[in-house]
């Protein structure tokens, strides 16, 4: 029997589908699972799709692989991943490659990469986006780790990835934790995108008294234009779905409590560490949290006054267009903030991440795939050192052309009591960037008063401190 070109251990849905994807693309795949039943069921159900080598033991699994061995781990992030790595290491030889294709936290990836490098092994933290369908049919793949490992691994990953205009949605992201970091930010942007879509839906429903199906038609129409994306497409489908049990719109019988698996929270935590404002992602993450605070929501519902007015809409189609423009503008801000975070981490950890390449590999296979990612790629091709995506001519035109609609929607939502935290925070971010003066000057004065934290002046070099407890004269710090 010929040796396998790649192995997959961990055969839950994602691992199972990745293994099938490899096999369908002509690779011989060794497959292993801690409980052999998942391995045998994979072979029984899909063994005719390609060449598989079923392995009951980890020793047999490693022995079935050609050198340098290429092993994809698809188990739960955290302790389970460490346990699999610890079990594999004694069985491997120098130059072998371990790929963690789960949603690991990038500091864990950096730690693992350094540890395995000292043992002569390559460790690749690899982001994979697209869900179970993408894993089978072609995901967006974000591998980090040593550039040397990509020379061996890259052609395999590129072959199984999604393709857009014939270009693989896979590229080497950067060293150590770069791949998992970029996947983390991808997921953070996904949080923001979904929250913004939810807010657009709520505004349309509250203001125009539309049925979910009617709003689904609006989203379907939007998907034929600048907003074309996977998330807009599936939103239309979800809103049109009828619950078989009750006959009601499915969205009306789903509990309004959004879950999360941690990547949005990690994105916000990392942004705080890096000093990068990702306000849209943060508000989307907090919105999921508040949706699940049932006791607080129930307690507040009968106590807190609304003091709201009514919607005043004289032009139905004009209002719908305002919502579309506000959604697009807010979406641009969320993506811009995410790319700023990638740039900040790249500088902090010396990763040299190509932001345009990241937009390019997100065009297909992944959850946030969207038409306007082509525009982001083009923006970074025009200027790879963009201070912010918002100043690129294409995106600045979008924002400036839509800011009036954006303000109308945010203000009307506030006046009628419809919460739009992601719309609102994105508009506030836009206004903060374009403002000549911000209240930070006052904040610095306050900090200097109570903590002698000093401040800078606009008319002189250096740092200064006012003797607030003394004669209030100013001294150089």
């Amino acid at each position: 029997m010929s040796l396998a070109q790649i192995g997959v251990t961990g055969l839950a849905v994602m691992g199972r589908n990745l293994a099938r994807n490899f096999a369908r693309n002509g690779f011989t795949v060794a497959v292993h699972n801690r409980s052999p039943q998942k391995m045998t069921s994979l072979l029984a159900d899909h063994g005719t799709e390609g060449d598989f080598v079923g392995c009951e033991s980890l020793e047999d699994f490693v022995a079935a692989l050609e050198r340098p061995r290429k092993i994809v781990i698809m188990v739960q992030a955290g302790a389970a991943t460490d346990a699999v790595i610890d079990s594999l290491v004694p069985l491997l030889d120098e130059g072998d490659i371990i790929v963690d294709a789960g949603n690991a936290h990038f500091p864990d990836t950096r730690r693992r990469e350094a540890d395995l490098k000292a043992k002569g092994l390559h460790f690749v933290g690899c982001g994979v986006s697209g869900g179970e369908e993408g894993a089978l049919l072609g995901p967006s793949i974000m591998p980090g780790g040593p550039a040397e490992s990509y020379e061996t691994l890259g052609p395999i990953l590129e072959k199984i990835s999604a393709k857009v205009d014939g270009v693989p949605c896979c590229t080497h992201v950067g060293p150590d934790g770069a791949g998992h970091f970029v996947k983390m930010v991808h997921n953070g942007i996904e949080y923001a995108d979904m929250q913004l879509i939810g807010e657009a839906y709520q505004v349309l429903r509250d203001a125009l008294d539309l049925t979910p199906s009617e709003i689904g038609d609006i989203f379907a129409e939007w998907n034929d234009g600048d907003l074309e994306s996977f998330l807009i497409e599936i939103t239309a489908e979800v809103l049109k779905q009828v619950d078989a049990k009750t006959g009601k719109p499915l969205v009306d019988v789903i509990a309004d409590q959004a879950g999360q698996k941690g990547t949005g929270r990690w994105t916000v935590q990392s942004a705080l560490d890096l000093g990068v404002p990702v306000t849209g992602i943060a508000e989307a993450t907090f919105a999921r949290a508040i949706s699940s605070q049932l006791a607080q929501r129930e307690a507040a519902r009968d106590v807190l006054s609304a003091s709201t007015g009514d919607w005043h809409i004289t032009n139905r189609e004009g209002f719908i267009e305002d919502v579309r423009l506000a959604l697009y503008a807010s979406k641009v801000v969320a993506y811009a903030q995410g790319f700023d975070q990638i740039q900040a981490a790249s500088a902090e950890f010396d990763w040299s991440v190509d932001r345009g390449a990241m937009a390019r590999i997100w065009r297909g296979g992944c959850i946030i795939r969207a038409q306007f990612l082509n525009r982001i790629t083009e923006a970074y091709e025009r200027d790879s050192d963009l201070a912010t995506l918002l100043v690129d001519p294409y995106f600045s035109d979008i924002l400036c052309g839509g800011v009036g609609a954006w303000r109308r929607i945010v203000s009307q939502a506030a006046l009628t009591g419809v919460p739009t935290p992601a719309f609102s925070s994105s508009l506030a971010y836009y206004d903060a960037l374009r403002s000549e003066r911000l209240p930070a000057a006052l904040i610095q004065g306050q900090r200097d008063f109570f903590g002698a934290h000093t401040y800078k002046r606009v008319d002189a070099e250096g740092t200064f401190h006012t003797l607030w407890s003394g004669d209030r004269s100013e001294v150089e710090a």
Side-chain angles (χ1 to χ4, degrees):
M1 184 181 296
S2 61
L3 293 175
Q5 294 150 291
I6 195 160
V8 179
T9 180
L11 300 176
V13 174
M14 286 291 290
R16 183 184 183 96
N17 282 359
L18 267 182
R20 293 172 61 196
N21 191 350
F22 285 125
R24 287 178 169 193
N25 278 281
F27 299 105
T28 301
V29 189
V31 289
H32 168 267
N33 195 78
R34 185 177 62 174
S35 55
Q37 292 87 347
K38 288 186 177 180
M39 180 271 294
T40 54
S41 71
L42 168 61
L43 299 184
D45 296 341
H46 305 289
T48 59
E49 294 181 352
D51 294 327
F52 295 96
V53 181
C55 306
E56 293 198 3
S57 73
L58 209 55
E59 290 78 7
D60 289 344
F61 175 65
V62 171
L65 293 163
E66 68 179 22
R67 298 184 184 181
R69 300 177 180 95
K70 297 169 285 293
I71 297 173
V72 178
I73 298 174
M74 287 298 295
V75 300
Q76 188 174 6
T81 299
D82 282 324
V84 173
I85 293 171
D86 291 343
S87 298
L88 281 170
V89 166
L91 307 175
L92 301 180
D93 296 312
E94 185 173 349
D96 287 347
I97 304 168
I98 298 176
V99 182
D100 176 10
N103 272 335
H105 199 192
F106 81 95
D108 289 338
T109 303
R110 300 192 74 211
R111 167 180 57 80
R112 291 166 182 149
E113 196 273 341
D115 181 54
L116 293 181
K117 182 178 181 180
K119 295 178 171 67
L121 300 172
H122 295 292
F123 184 74
V124 174
C126 183
V128 178
S129 178
E132 58 186 83
E133 181 177 300
L136 178 62
L137 303 179
S140 174
I141 307 178
M142 294 151 262
E148 180 186 349
S149 66
Y150 194 76
E151 294 175 9
T152 303
L153 188 64
I156 299 175
L157 297 181
E158 289 178 12
K159 191 166 184 181
I160 70 159
S161 72
K163 312 292 188 300
V164 176
D165 300 327
V167 178
C169 292
C170 174
T171 191
H172 182 239
V173 176
D176 57 73
H180 274 147
F181 184 92
V182 166
K183 174 57 164 57
M184 176 192 75
V185 174
H186 164 285
N187 285 21
I189 293 172
E190 179 185 308
Y191 275 50
D193 211 340
M194 294 172 73
Q195 176 66 23
L196 290 166
I197 290 170
E199 290 178 16
Y201 153 75
Q202 192 65 47
V203 166
L204 288 170
R205 187 162 191 184
D206 193 87
L208 299 177
D209 197 27
L210 299 174
T211 66
S213 181
E214 289 171 330
I215 300 172
D217 290 336
I218 292 171
F219 275 96
E221 183 178 339
W222 286 352
N223 199 48
D224 288 331
D226 291 337
L227 284 172
E228 180 189 345
S229 67
F230 174 70
L231 285 172
I232 294 289
E233 176 187 348
I234 67 169
T235 296
E237 296 297 321
V238 170
L239 289 174
K240 293 177 183 180
Q241 183 68 22
V242 174
D243 176 50
K245 183 177 180 180
T246 64
K248 297 178 180 179
L250 178 64
V251 73
D252 286 346
V253 298
I254 296 175
D256 61 336
Q257 303 160 46
Q260 56 178 299
K261 292 188 176 180
T263 46
R265 182 172 66 252
W266 290 345
T267 305
V268 177
Q269 290 169 340
S270 166
L272 290 171
D273 291 338
L274 293 166
V276 179
V278 292
T279 56
I281 297 170
E283 289 296 347
T285 305
F286 293 141
R288 292 195 186 192
I290 198 171
S291 74
S292 297
Q293 291 183 325
L294 300 185
Q296 292 92 330
R297 291 176 63 191
E298 185 175 351
R301 194 172 297 126
D302 298 328
V303 175
L304 300 183
S305 171
S307 298
T308 56
D310 296 323
W311 293 93
H312 296 289
I313 300 168
T314 57
N315 182 338
R316 180 182 181 277
E317 295 306 314
F319 181 83
I320 292 172
E321 176 63 5
D322 275 0
V323 176
R324 187 190 72 83
L325 290 171
L327 173 57
Y328 197 12
S330 299
K331 180 185 178 87
V332 169
V333 167
Y335 279 70
Q337 291 176 343
F339 278 99
D340 287 347
Q341 185 172 357
I342 290 172
Q343 179 64 14
S346 181
E348 175 73 15
F349 302 115
D350 195 24
W351 286 339
S352 300
V353 177
D354 181 341
R355 290 177 290 177
M358 297 308 98
R360 185 171 63 250
I361 67 172
W362 289 349
R363 294 181 303 161
C366 70
I367 303 302
I368 63 171
R369 60 186 182 264
Q371 181 188 92
F372 94 127
L373 283 161
N374 286 310
R375 300 291 192 175
I376 296 178
T377 299
E378 292 165 3
Y380 286 119
E381 287 174 348
R382 284 190 289 270
D383 182 358
S384 61
D385 296 321
L386 268 176
T388 169
L389 194 61
L390 305 190
V391 301
D392 174 78
Y394 174 82
F395 291 107
S396 62
D397 286 349
I398 292 293
L399 294 169
C400 294
V403 69
W406 205 0
R407 295 193 192 285
R408 286 191 292 273
I409 294 303
V410 169
S411 60
Q412 288 182 80
L415 290 170
T416 52
V418 175
T420 55
F423 272 18
S424 303
S425 65
S426 298
L427 178 58
Y429 177 82
Y430 170 89
D431 281 331
L433 282 190
R434 64 168 195 82
S435 294
E436 185 174 345
R437 291 279 289 174
L438 293 170
L442 175 58
I443 292 170
Q444 282 301 94
Q446 293 168 331
R447 295 179 72 239
D448 189 59
F449 190 106
F450 66 69
H453 291 293
T454 74
Y455 52 85
K456 295 183 182 296
R457 295 179 61 94
V458 298
D459 56 0
E461 295 295 324
T463 56
F464 301 87
H465 167 59
T466 292
L467 302 174
W468 298 102
S469 299
D471 62 6
R472 300 205 171 186
S473 60
E474 182 181 78
V475 297
E476 289 194 47

